[in-house]
């Protein structure tokens, strides 16, 4: 067998052996962290984009609701919302965690329900290992 035919045969064998199977996605968790100064809000709406969210679990003492539309997922949190970790989001594929982006849409005062200045707080997502 000539060298050229041997190389072609080897390429065919290696191509046939290579599978196209991919590993299934592994679910992961993202921590919703909000920090800031001033009056602690009693309610906030956050918008999350970048992929689907399977579940949202607020921390103890905080109530929450998640809805999804064409602009992303919207997380409403109500309660004592001090700076720090406020909820855990479950995503279907943790390898895609870097695609997720969060932003504050609204903040409301706990007693007057008046809207607060969004520039006093920042929201971020922290991937769980």
């Amino acid at each position: 067998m000539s060298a050229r035919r041997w190389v072609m045969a080897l390429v065919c064998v290696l191509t046939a052996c290579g599978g196209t199977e991919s590993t299934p996605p592994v679910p992961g968790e993202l921590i919703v962290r909000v920090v800031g100064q001033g009056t602690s809000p009693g309610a906030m709406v956050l918008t999350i984009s970048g992929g689907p969210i399977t579940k949202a679990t607020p921390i103890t003492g905080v109530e929450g609701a998640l809805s999804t539309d064409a602009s992303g997922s919207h997380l409403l949190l109500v309660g004592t919302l001090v700076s720090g970790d406020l909820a855990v989001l479950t995503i279907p594929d943790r390898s895609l965690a870097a695609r997720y982006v969060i932003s504050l849409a609204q903040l409301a005062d706990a007693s007057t329900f008046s809207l607060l200045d969004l520039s006093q707080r920042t929201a971020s997502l922290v991937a769980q290992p």
Side-chain angles (χ1 to χ4, degrees):
M1 180 183 278
S2 72
R4 183 179 176 151
R5 285 187 181 179
W6 186 83
V7 170
M8 293 298 287
L10 182 60
V11 168
C12 289
V13 168
L14 291 176
T15 303
C17 290
T20 57
E21 298 176 23
S22 62
T23 58
V26 176
E29 292 181 338
L30 301 172
I31 304 295
V32 175
R33 184 171 291 160
V34 178
V35 295
Q37 299 177 358
T39 304
S40 291
M44 67 177 59
V45 176
L46 301 117
T47 301
I48 303 111
S49 59
I53 297 171
T54 310
K55 180 180 171 186
T57 307
I59 63 164
T60 304
V62 176
E63 298 292 325
L66 181 69
S67 67
T68 303
D69 62 19
S71 65
S73 297
H74 309 281
L75 178 62
L76 168 66
L77 297 174
V78 178
T80 306
L81 305 175
V82 296
S83 288
D85 299 347
L86 297 178
V88 177
L89 305 177
T90 303
I91 58 174
D93 188 351
R94 72 177 179 188
S95 70
L96 303 178
R99 293 185 182 182
Y100 288 78
V101 178
I102 191 167
S103 62
L104 284 166
Q106 293 182 344
L107 294 171
D109 188 318
S111 57
T112 66
F113 305 109
S114 62
L115 293 179
L116 299 173
D117 183 8
L118 293 175
S119 67
Q120 293 181 355
R121 304 226 177 263
T122 58
S124 61
L125 293 171
V126 180
Q128 288 285 74

